[in-house]
Amino acid sequence: MTIIEFSDYQCPFCRKFWIETLPSIKKDYIDTGKVKLVYRDFPLISIHPSAEPAAEAAECAREKGGDSAYFKMHDKIFQEQNKLDGGDPNNGPVRGTAQFSEADLKNWAKELGYDIGSCLDSRKYQGEVQK
């Protein structure tokens, strides 16, 4: 069985899912091999202008280190937004939409050991994210 999550990296409700629901799904179903999770980008750019660059940043991280790097960046993006929103990096509460820049994305990737600057600047994965 496969769960397909359509998500927006700047959406506070998506971050709430990441904090409150995904850990249980991961523990009870993904880690036990009962289901596979597929994450699909669904940036709502009209209300979340940083969502598309964030999705591209995650793809750039994947380019540097595979799926493991992608999900490290995925988690980092949500963690850092939680800090910006006044919360703990791995726990609630989610109060609203956090604002961040492409420079923030590059810095967060660098903290994980990935230099995604030229990849992100080139918009190499924009088409992949938009599809």
Side-chain angles (χ1 to χ4, degrees):
M1 180 184 280
T2 301
I3 296 172
I4 301 173
E5 174 190 6
F6 289 87
S7 188
D8 171 325
Y9 277 109
Q10 197 177 11
C11 167
F13 300 104
C14 300
R15 182 163 33 103
K16 188 172 178 68
F17 169 83
W18 175 79
I19 291 168
E20 296 179 3
T21 307
L22 184 58
S24 294
I25 292 172
K26 186 174 180 331
K27 180 175 124 301
D28 296 338
Y29 298 99
I30 298 169
D31 292 347
T32 62
K34 293 177 183 172
V35 300
K36 179 174 110 175
L37 176 70
V38 174
Y39 183 93
R40 297 295 302 159
D41 297 306
F42 194 65
L44 303 173
I45 57 175
S46 63
I47 58 173
H48 300 138
S50 296
E52 189 171 272
E56 292 173 33
E59 291 296 338
C60 289
R62 183 192 319 262
E63 181 180 287
K64 298 291 184 178
D67 289 345
S68 171
Y70 175 88
F71 282 105
K72 285 179 185 173
M73 188 64 183
H74 167 278
D75 292 348
K76 182 75 167 168
I77 293 167
F78 285 127
Q79 286 171 337
E80 292 298 329
Q81 284 182 83
N82 225 40
K83 286 185 203 174
L84 292 170
D85 195 24
D88 178 277
N90 296 305
N91 208 343
V94 174
R95 292 185 265 269
T97 303
Q99 303 301 320
F100 57 94
S101 67
E102 289 184 29
D104 291 323
L105 292 165
K106 292 173 188 176
N107 287 333
W108 299 340
K110 192 166 284 198
E111 289 173 14
L112 295 173
Y114 308 114
D115 182 357
I116 64 165
S118 62
C119 177
L120 189 58
D121 291 344
S122 75
R123 309 303 327 188
K124 181 178 184 175
Y125 292 104
Q126 186 175 35
E128 168 64 26
V129 168
Q130 289 177 347
K131 80 174 189 178

